[in-house]
Amino acid sequence: MNGYMKPQDIEKRSFEIITEELGTRAFPDGIAEVVKRVIHTTADFSYRDTLTITDGAVEKAKEAIRRGLPIITDTTMAASGINKTAAGKFGIEVHCFIGDEDVKVKAKESGMTRSAVSVEKAAGCYPECIYAVGNAPTALMRLYELIEEKKIRPALIIGVPVGFVNVVEAKELILGTDVPAIVARGRKGGSNIAAAICNALLYEAGGR
């Protein structure tokens, strides 16, 4: 075994293994790449069953990317994991408001989580965007409320928070809207997965 393969060769071989282990499992166009990228990030094949992609979500996401809509994340980790070169090809800006001073102040005054307040800030700055949530179910819950109030209309919601409290329920709320969504049903998820899904969509839109 050669432990010093080139990075691109390691990635290529990893995806070959993932394809082999998925076997004859068929996915609609564009969805296979998203599922494989998530499995590549986690080495967890359960995502082939739990990753739920609403009808047309991948194509609508690629349209949003080609329009240069911003990507908003709930954590700096997710934002850091998004390929800025791939995003830059479309003039896409990646934002995370969780550390902004005004968000901290409002969260303290209101008793809301900073993640929920960040969604409110996003609604004011970028009512049309791709919103990627990898950590905070409260972000998904506030997104749902603002969608119902017609104060934000994301082109896509990536809902993959991880945890035990309100995680499953928050994901199901998003799937109950008519907004295009990619959701990891159940308790599993994470900021790395949110970033991986964004990257898969960016690569697809760019023809990588």
Side-chain angles (χ1 to χ4, degrees), residues 4 6 21-22 24 38 42 52 73 90 99 105 109 114 123 129-130 142 144 179 184 187 193 196 200 204 208:
Y4 297 96
K6 295 178 180 179
E21 295 198 21
L22 283 173
T24 58
V38 170
T42 62
T52 303
T73 71
F90 300 97
V105 170
E109 291 175 348
R114 282 194 284 161
C129 62
I130 293 172
R142 192 65 184 127
Y144 174 80
V179 174
R187 294 172 170 176
I193 296 173
E204 279 290 291
R208 173 173 167 178

Side-chain angles (χ1 to χ4, degrees), residues 35-50:
V35 174
K36 289 178 184 179
R37 181 74 47 185
V38 170
I39 293 173
H40 178 256
T41 299
T42 62
D44 185 346
F45 278 82
S46 70
Y47 283 103
R48 69 185 155 194
D49 300 312
T50 60

Side-chain angles (χ1 to χ4, degrees), residues 47-100:
Y47 283 103
R48 69 185 155 194
D49 300 312
T50 60
L51 200 64
T52 303
I53 302 175
T54 61
D55 289 345
V58 170
E59 283 306 314
K60 290 172 184 174
K62 289 192 288 186
E63 289 172 11
I65 287 168
R66 290 169 184 147
R67 288 169 56 202
L69 292 183
I71 298 173
I72 315 296
T73 71
D74 67 325
T75 65
T76 55
M77 180 181 173
S80 297
I82 295 171
N83 188 314
K84 303 306 185 296
T85 300
K89 290 179 180 178
F90 300 97
I92 290 173
E93 296 179 348
V94 179
H95 299 283
C96 177
F97 300 128
I98 198 77
D100 290 5

Side-chain angles (χ1 to χ4, degrees), residues 149-173:
E149 294 168 13
K150 302 188 186 306
K151 292 180 179 177
I152 192 170
R153 181 68 187 183
L156 173 75
I157 295 175
I158 297 169
V160 292
V162 59
F164 299 94
V165 179
N166 292 326
V167 170
V168 173
E169 295 85 348
K171 292 173 179 178
E172 294 302 320
L173 278 176

Side-chain angles (χ1 to χ4, degrees), residues 187-204:
R187 294 172 170 176
K188 291 183 179 181
S191 294
N192 58 333
I193 296 173
I197 293 171
C198 288
N199 288 336
L201 296 169
L202 287 167
Y203 300 153
E204 279 290 291

Side-chain angles (χ1 to χ4, degrees), residues 101-118:
E101 193 59 34
D102 57 336
V103 169
K104 293 178 184 178
V105 170
K106 185 172 181 181
K108 186 174 182 180
E109 291 175 348
S110 66
M112 297 171 66
T113 67
R114 282 194 284 161
S115 298
V117 175
S118 293

